[in-house]
Amino acid sequence: MSQFPAEIEGALASLKHAQTAWQKYRDAHCDMVAREYLAGTGKAAGFAKCMIDLARSRIRDLSPGTNMPEPE
């Protein structure tokens, strides 16, 4: 038997589905950003910054009261 009521189980399943979709978007988007650098030395840094910026944005989206700095 589950420790959560059915409504919460449904909400958790929806959040897991949304998070998986968001991760696919994040990966594709940051890959595109990295490709803008072609084979340049900034490719890895561009990818990493994109991942960090999107993660911060996602945290703010999921936790509106979180006092996270805006990405630069």
Side-chain angles (χ1 to χ4, degrees):
M1 178 144 176
S2 174
Q3 63 184 11
F4 298 114
E7 295 85 15
I8 294 177
E9 288 289 341
L12 288 172
S14 292
L15 177 60
K16 287 178 184 178
H17 177 75
Q19 185 65 15
T20 298
W22 179 84
Q23 288 170 326
K24 288 179 183 178
Y25 160 76
R26 177 204 61 197
D27 293 348
H29 177 77
C30 291
D31 185 53
M32 181 273 307
V33 168
R35 288 175 186 270
E36 289 179 350
Y37 290 91
L38 302 174
T41 57
K43 187 174 186 174
F47 183 82
K49 181 173 182 339
C50 178
M51 296 286 276
I52 291 167
D53 289 348
L54 287 181
R56 286 180 174 166
S57 176
R58 183 70 172 160
I59 291 167
R60 278 192 307 279
D61 289 347
L62 295 175
S63 305
T66 303
N67 190 14
M68 294 269 312
E70 291 290 326
E72 296 173 9

